């Protein structure tokens, strides 16, 4: 929870084999409640969501050209964005949407999906149907299960099994989220 691990495949090209190169860096110096991360292939930015701190952190490689953390451990450039003014005081999940280059954040309130630009500027709020959500956590944009385009896939942790160890009520939901400029409500 305090580290980001970077894994590069070795000569065999397979993940999780003996020839892999693994390195890590700490994020606790700027993100004490790291909940999720997302990598933006188009900009090379690593986004880390800060949970109860209401902050989204954007890391870009520094002069050495690799993501290796902030000083004194590394030389990455860090910019933090306060999400509380946009209605997200406790963020749990973050995703990059390749189709529009946007950064999306979910958390509490549970039906509020924030859309930021890849420069961290607020774009819009998308109100999701509750569909029984309890504790939304991880999100990702991926191809739709039917038709063309992409969908938002959201994992809901349900009842926290930290306090109820036998609980197994997590669920995954698929939402169609319109692109910017398309005036329609999200669908489940």
């Amino acid at each position: 929870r305090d580290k980001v691990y970077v894994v590069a495949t070795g000569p065999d090209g397979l993940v999780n084999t003996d020839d892999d190169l693994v390195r890590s860096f700490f994020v606790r110096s700027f993100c004490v409640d790291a909940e999720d991360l997302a990598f933006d292939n188009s900009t090379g930015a690593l986004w880390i969501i800060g949970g109860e701190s209401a902050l989204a952190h954007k890391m870009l490689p520094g002069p050495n050209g690799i993501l290796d953390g902030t000083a004194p451990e590394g030389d990455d450039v860090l910019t933090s964005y306060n999400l509380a003014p946009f209605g997200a005081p406790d963020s749990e999940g973050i995703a990059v949407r390749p189709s529009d280059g946007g950064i999306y954040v979910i958390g509490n309130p549970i039906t509020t999906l924030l859309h930021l630009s890849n420069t961290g500027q607020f774009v819009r709020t998308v109100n999701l149907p509750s569909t029984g959500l309890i504790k939304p956590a991880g999100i990702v944009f991926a191809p739709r299960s039917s038709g063309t385009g992409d969908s938002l896939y959201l994992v809901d942790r349900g009842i926290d099994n930290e306090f109820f160890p036998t609980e197994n009520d997590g669920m995954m939901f698929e939402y169609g989220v319109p692109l910017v400029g398309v005036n329609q409500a999200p669908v489940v």
Side-chain angles (χ1 to χ4, degrees):
R1 188 170 172 146
D2 294 338
K3 282 186 175 183
V4 171
Y5 289 87
V6 180
V7 179
T9 59
D12 68 6
L14 301 173
V15 176
N16 201 26
T17 57
D18 290 338
D19 65 345
D20 292 350
L21 301 172
V22 180
R23 61 185 173 80
S24 64
F25 57 89
F26 287 97
V27 298
R28 195 166 230 350
S29 64
F30 63 87
C31 190
V32 296
D33 185 27
E35 295 288 346
D36 198 9
L37 55 79
F39 183 74
D40 186 344
N41 282 318
S42 67
T43 65
L46 180 66
W47 288 84
I48 302 170
I49 202 71
E52 291 180 1
S53 71
L55 295 175
H57 308 279
K58 177 183 177 181
M59 291 183 76
L60 288 167
N64 69 8
I66 63 169
L67 288 168
D68 59 357
T70 56
E73 185 178 43
D75 66 351
D76 293 343
V77 178
L78 180 70
T79 307
S80 299
Y81 304 92
N82 184 359
L83 304 180
F86 311 122
D90 182 6
S91 303
E92 298 288 327
I94 189 164
V96 176
R97 187 179 195 181
S99 62
D100 68 8
I103 309 302
Y104 289 80
V105 177
I106 192 77
N108 191 9
I110 61 175
T111 58
T112 298
L113 179 70
L114 289 186
H115 177 186
L116 308 174
S117 70
N118 64 11
T119 59
Q121 301 303 306
F122 176 77
V123 175
R124 64 181 169 152
T125 298
V126 179
N127 294 311
L128 299 175
S130 70
T131 58
L133 294 173
I134 298 171
K135 185 73 171 159
I139 58 175
V140 69
F141 283 91
R144 298 186 101 147
S145 61
S146 63
T148 60
D150 66 0
S151 286
L152 171 72
Y153 292 88
L154 181 151
V155 176
D156 187 328
R157 296 186 327 199
I159 304 296
D160 196 337
N161 63 6
E162 179 179 342
F163 302 107
F164 302 96
T166 60
E167 188 61 56
N168 187 16
D169 63 344
M171 297 186 72
M172 183 174 75
F173 297 89
E174 177 182 6
Y175 295 96
V177 178
L179 292 169
V180 174
V182 179
N183 190 15
Q184 54 184 326
V187 294
V188 177

